[in-house]
Coordinates of all heavy atoms in Angstrom, one line a residue:
M6 N 117.8 122.6 97.4 CA 118.1 121.3 96.7 C 117.1 120.3 97.3 O 117.1 120.0 98.5 CB 119.5 120.9 96.9 CG 120.5 121.8 96.3 SD 122.2 121.3 96.7 CE 123.1 122.1 95.4
Y30 N 117.9 123.2 92.8 CA 118.5 122.0 92.2 C 117.6 120.8 92.5 O 117.3 120.6 93.7 CB 119.9 121.8 92.7 CG 120.9 122.8 92.0 CD1 120.9 124.2 92.4 CD2 121.7 122.4 91.0 CE1 121.8 125.1 91.8 CE2 122.6 123.3 90.4 CZ 122.6 124.6 90.8 OH 123.4 125.5 90.2
R32 N 116.2 116.6 91.0 CA 116.5 115.5 90.0 C 115.9 115.8 88.7 O 114.8 116.4 88.6 CB 116.0 114.2 90.6 CG 116.7 113.8 91.9 CD 118.2 113.6 91.7 NE 118.5 112.5 90.9 CZ 118.8 111.2 91.3 NH1 118.7 110.9 92.5 NH2 119.1 110.3 90.4
A37 N 107.3 108.7 83.2 CA 106.2 108.2 84.0 C 104.9 108.1 83.2 O 104.8 108.7 82.1 CB 105.9 109.2 85.2
S46 N 109.9 116.8 88.8 CA 109.8 116.4 90.2 C 108.8 117.4 90.8 O 108.6 118.5 90.3 CB 111.1 116.5 90.9 OG 111.5 117.8 91.1
V48 N 109.3 119.3 93.4 CA 110.1 120.5 93.7 C 110.3 121.3 92.5 O 110.2 122.5 92.5 CB 111.4 120.1 94.4 CG1 112.4 121.4 94.4 CG2 111.2 119.7 95.8
H49 N 110.6 120.6 91.4 CA 110.7 121.3 90.1 C 109.5 122.1 89.7 O 109.6 123.3 89.4 CB 111.0 120.3 89.0 CG 111.4 120.8 87.7 ND1 112.3 120.2 86.8 CD2 111.1 122.0 87.0 CE1 112.5 120.9 85.8 NE2 111.8 122.0 85.8
A75 N 128.5 128.3 92.7 CA 129.2 129.5 93.3 C 128.7 130.8 92.7 O 128.6 131.8 93.4 CB 130.7 129.4 93.1
A94 N 133.5 119.8 97.6 CA 133.7 121.1 96.9 C 132.4 121.9 96.8 O 132.4 123.1 96.9 CB 134.1 120.8 95.4
D97 N 131.5 123.3 100.5 CA 132.3 124.4 101.0 C 131.9 125.8 100.3 O 132.4 126.8 100.8 CB 133.8 124.1 100.6 CG 134.4 123.0 101.4 OD1 133.9 122.7 102.5 OD2 135.4 122.4 100.9
A118 N 115.7 105.9 103.5 CA 114.3 105.6 103.8 C 114.0 105.7 105.3 O 113.5 104.7 105.8 CB 113.9 104.2 103.2
G127 N 108.8 99.4 114.1 CA 107.9 99.6 115.3 C 108.4 100.7 116.2 O 108.0 100.6 117.4
G132 N 110.8 112.0 114.0 CA 111.0 113.4 114.1 C 111.8 113.9 112.9 O 112.0 113.2 111.9
G148 N 121.6 120.8 114.6 CA 121.3 122.1 115.2 C 120.0 122.2 115.9 O 119.9 122.8 116.9
I155 N 104.8 108.2 117.0 CA 104.3 107.3 115.9 C 103.2 106.4 116.6 O 103.5 105.6 117.4 CB 105.4 106.4 115.3 CG1 106.5 107.2 114.7 CG2 104.8 105.5 114.2 CD1 107.7 106.4 114.2
L183 N 120.3 130.9 112.3 CA 121.5 131.0 111.6 C 121.8 132.4 111.2 O 123.0 132.9 111.3 CB 121.5 130.1 110.4 CG 122.7 130.0 109.5 CD1 123.8 129.2 110.3 CD2 122.4 129.3 108.2
L188 N 122.5 129.7 115.9 CA 122.3 128.3 115.6 C 123.5 127.5 116.1 O 124.6 127.7 115.5 CB 122.0 128.0 114.2 CG 121.6 126.6 113.8 CD1 120.4 126.2 114.5 CD2 121.4 126.5 112.3
T191 N 125.5 120.3 117.6 CA 126.0 119.3 118.5 C 126.4 118.1 117.7 O 125.5 117.6 116.9 CB 124.9 119.0 119.5 OG1 124.6 120.1 120.2 CG2 125.5 117.9 120.5
L223 N 105.2 95.8 109.3 CA 105.7 95.8 107.9 C 104.6 96.3 107.0 O 104.9 97.1 106.1 CB 106.0 94.4 107.5 CG 106.5 94.2 106.0 CD1 107.9 94.9 105.9 CD2 106.7 92.7 105.7
L227 N 105.1 100.0 104.8 CA 105.2 100.0 103.4 C 103.9 100.6 102.7 O 103.7 100.5 101.5 CB 105.4 98.6 102.8 CG 106.7 97.9 103.3 CD1 106.9 96.5 102.7 CD2 107.9 98.8 102.9
P260 N 100.1 79.5 111.0 CA 100.3 80.7 110.3 C 99.8 80.7 108.9 O 100.0 79.7 108.1 CB 101.9 80.9 110.3 CG 102.3 80.2 111.5 CD 101.4 79.0 111.7
G261 N 99.0 81.7 108.5 CA 98.5 81.8 107.2 C 97.0 81.3 107.1 O 96.4 81.5 106.1
A273 N 102.5 83.7 113.6 CA 103.3 82.8 114.6 C 102.8 83.1 116.0 O 102.7 82.2 116.8 CB 104.8 83.1 114.4
Q281 N 92.3 96.4 104.6 CA 92.2 96.9 103.2 C 93.2 96.1 102.3 O 94.4 96.0 102.7 CB 92.4 98.4 103.1 CG 92.1 99.0 101.7 CD 92.3 100.5 101.7 OE1 93.4 101.0 102.0 NE2 91.3 101.2 101.3
L301 N 86.7 82.5 99.9 CA 87.5 82.0 101.0 C 86.9 82.3 102.3 O 86.3 83.4 102.5 CB 88.9 82.6 101.0 CG 89.9 82.2 99.8 CD1 91.1 83.1 99.9 CD2 90.2 80.7 100.0

Side-chain angles (χ1 to χ4, degrees):
M6 296 177 158
Y30 285 76
R32 297 299 295 267
S46 74
V48 165
H49 191 146
D97 291 339
I155 302 176
L183 182 69
L188 186 59
T191 302
L223 181 65
L227 296 181
Q281 190 178 55
L301 288 174

